[in-house]
Amino acid sequence: MSAPYDVLLRGAEVYDGLGSPPVQADIAFAGDRIAALGSLDAARATLDIDATGLSVAPGFIDAHTHDDLAALNQPDMGFKLLGGVTTCVVGNCGFGAAPFKEAMQLFDGLTPGLSVPHYDGHAGYAATVETVRPGVNIAALAGHGTLRLAAMGTADRQPEERELQHMKDALGEALDAGVFGLSSGLIYVPGRYSQTSELIELASDMRDSGALYATHMRDEGDGLLASVAEAIDIGEQAQVPVQISHHKASGRANWGRVTESLKLIELAQARGLDVHCDQYPYTAGSTILVAIIENGAFTGSAQGGIGTVGADDVVIAGAPGHPQWEGRTVAALAAEFGIPARAAALRVVEHAPGTTAIIHMMSEDDVQQVLRHPSTMIGSDGIPTVGGRPHLRLYNSFARVLGHYSRDLGVLSMADAIYRMTGFTANKFGLNGRGRIEIGAFADAVVFDAETLIDQGTFENPNRYPAGIVDVFVNGVASVRAGVSQTARAGRMLRRPGT
Ligand code: ZN
Ligand code: CU
């Protein structure tokens, strides 16, 4: 008799993560790998789980997160694991983990109560993740905003030659350290001051490296189509793959325009370009309040990147030191303060600079259209202000796609929906050996109840985990059992193939 396996999951409906319909099978883990699949009646294991009536999928890969420092600061990462996530792509929207000093500045609002040991560069960040061992795997992007802040502060101009070289050197360090690409955040300071040519110049340094360009575009409102064209242009000129982050049409005047933006993506793909997008499954977004102000909200004129958004549409999510403002709209605060909306928002930011807000700015039809489109992966874009009033997407994005949009509304099949959060994402980012249930793959897996799986919580009371996530394995280690985090801390720092 052969040696027992470490883990056996018996009798579940197994999704391979590549879009195939589920099959009933047993799965065995040995160490950190999937060792056997099929009918394993005679096999034995240290941890033997009867998963009859349940489903198994590869652990979900969150294509878009801001968990760079949460991974160090709240390393259990229960807020991700309990939603079935086993890998987080961090460093999005231009906010990267290095250089250290600038990262601390930019992450102030994204990770409250920040206290992180000093590290040098992306190599230092990777080493720190390995020392700390968070609960999920981490795949990092370098952030253009962080690089630019370090090279030239918040100057609103093109970089000088030596400043550009400073950014290129830092990007080179990050690529050597194994990052999977470069992200930009073109509505934020300082990324918004960059021109297309600067981004092409930087992205060109990633040519042939396998790294991609991910972008929070300049304008998801009135300038949506020009922004998609810019993202594609950067990828085409630099000859690197492109990932359009949290794809949407923002502001009522722009609803329906995702039909055209998705068409632009299709046309680029037809020209042979590697262009895709990701999405969180809600009609509300969330970001730092200062960026909402800077992008022309509350003025009635959409000069910025989020379209026209009213003071009624913006709700304070986390206001460090001022919990009395959390959950209230900017309109309500303006009435209370007896001043105009923009002035009220400015007052909030002055007292609580890291304030985050939820913005109700999308249409349900658009959300479903983007979700249905074969170019779309799932990324939560969750801001880990755990304990405040974070957007529900932080915990619930994957359960909502599977339970609400797939099972209940039939927007896409379960196998397809799972593919968009596992195999598809692993292929796009180059997360080798992840995102699939097959022999030899890493044993990242989620066991769920397909009948009860659903997102929970409300915007008023958001700190709720989804229902129906039963067990979660990270690198073969049981990290959630029967819906309870095991604080196993089995995540790893992932590196781009070849580094
Ligand atoms: Zn973003
Ligand atoms: Cu983001």
Side-chain angles (χ1 to χ4, degrees), residues 142-390:
H144 166 254
T146 323
L147 302 187
R148 196 180 212 267
L149 191 61
M152 54 189 292
T154 55
D156 180 3
R157 57 168 171 78
Q158 294 193 63
E160 290 167 12
E161 195 53 45
R162 68 180 168 80
E163 291 165 339
L164 185 64
Q165 193 56 48
H166 191 288
M167 287 189 258
K168 284 167 149 297
D169 290 346
L171 176 59
E173 187 277 335
L175 291 167
D176 288 345
V179 300
F180 291 81
L182 173 71
S183 79
S184 67
L186 304 183
I187 71 162
Y188 299 112
V189 174
R192 59 184 309 185
Y193 302 138
S194 62
Q195 296 185 2
T196 311
S197 56
E198 174 182 332
L199 297 158
I200 293 172
E201 187 65 43
L202 288 167
S204 295
D205 284 2
M206 303 194 291
R207 189 176 300 164
D208 300 325
S209 72
L212 57 73
Y213 171 68
T215 180
H216 180 154
M217 300 184 299
R218 219 173 272 285
D219 193 337
E220 299 177 321
D222 298 21
L224 176 65
L225 300 180
S227 293
V228 173
E230 181 189 29
I232 291 168
D233 184 38
I234 291 166
E236 191 158 22
Q237 302 282 335
Q239 296 173 41
V240 297
V242 174
Q243 179 81 348
I244 293 172
S245 299
H246 42 61
H247 193 41
K248 67 170 81 69
S250 179
R252 187 174 292 270
N254 302 306
W255 290 357
R257 297 178 76 183
V258 296
T259 307
E260 297 156 81
S261 63
L262 291 167
K263 192 81 207 159
L264 289 178
I265 293 174
E266 287 171 22
L267 290 170
Q269 290 170 345
R271 293 206 303 279
L273 301 177
D274 180 349
V275 181
H276 301 89
C277 62
D278 53 64
Q279 180 194 31
Y280 51 84
Y282 293 89
T283 55
S286 182
T287 188
I288 43 178
L289 182 58
V290 66
I292 300 172
I293 299 168
E294 282 163 357
N295 282 275
F298 318 127
T299 59
S301 76
Q303 338 113 321
I306 56 176
T308 303
V309 174
D312 270 325
D313 300 325
V314 179
V315 186
I316 305 302
H322 296 270
Q324 75 277 15
W325 293 336
E326 294 174 356
R328 310 206 43 210
T329 64
V330 168
L333 292 175
E336 182 185 314
F337 300 160
I339 54 178
R342 184 178 152 82
L346 283 167
R347 182 181 292 184
V348 169
V349 167
E350 195 182 305
H351 288 272
T355 293
T356 50
I358 287 158
I359 327 165
H360 297 276
M361 83 308 214
M362 286 170 250
S363 80
E364 181 62 32
D365 283 354
D366 281 3
V367 168
Q368 293 191 21
Q369 195 185 338
V370 172
L371 184 56
R372 203 177 291 120
H373 196 273
S375 298
T376 306
M377 294 159 224
I378 308 304
S380 71
D381 200 10
I383 301 174
T385 54
V386 176
R389 284 178 191 254

Side-chain angles (χ1 to χ4, degrees), residues 347-433:
R347 182 181 292 184
V348 169
V349 167
E350 195 182 305
H351 288 272
T355 293
T356 50
I358 287 158
I359 327 165
H360 297 276
M361 83 308 214
M362 286 170 250
S363 80
E364 181 62 32
D365 283 354
D366 281 3
V367 168
Q368 293 191 21
Q369 195 185 338
V370 172
L371 184 56
R372 203 177 291 120
H373 196 273
S375 298
T376 306
M377 294 159 224
I378 308 304
S380 71
D381 200 10
I383 301 174
T385 54
V386 176
R389 284 178 191 254
H391 189 305
L392 298 164
R393 67 191 184 186
L394 177 64
Y395 314 100
N396 285 286
S397 288
F398 299 86
R400 181 168 168 82
V401 168
L402 297 177
H404 177 65
Y405 283 113
S406 175
R407 182 195 58 222
D408 294 347
L409 298 187
V411 172
L412 70 181
S413 75
M414 202 68 144
D416 189 15
I418 288 170
Y419 169 63
R420 314 298 194 92
M421 48 185 79
T422 57
F424 192 13
T425 319
N427 286 342
K428 176 76 188 192
F429 285 84
L431 309 176
N432 287 357

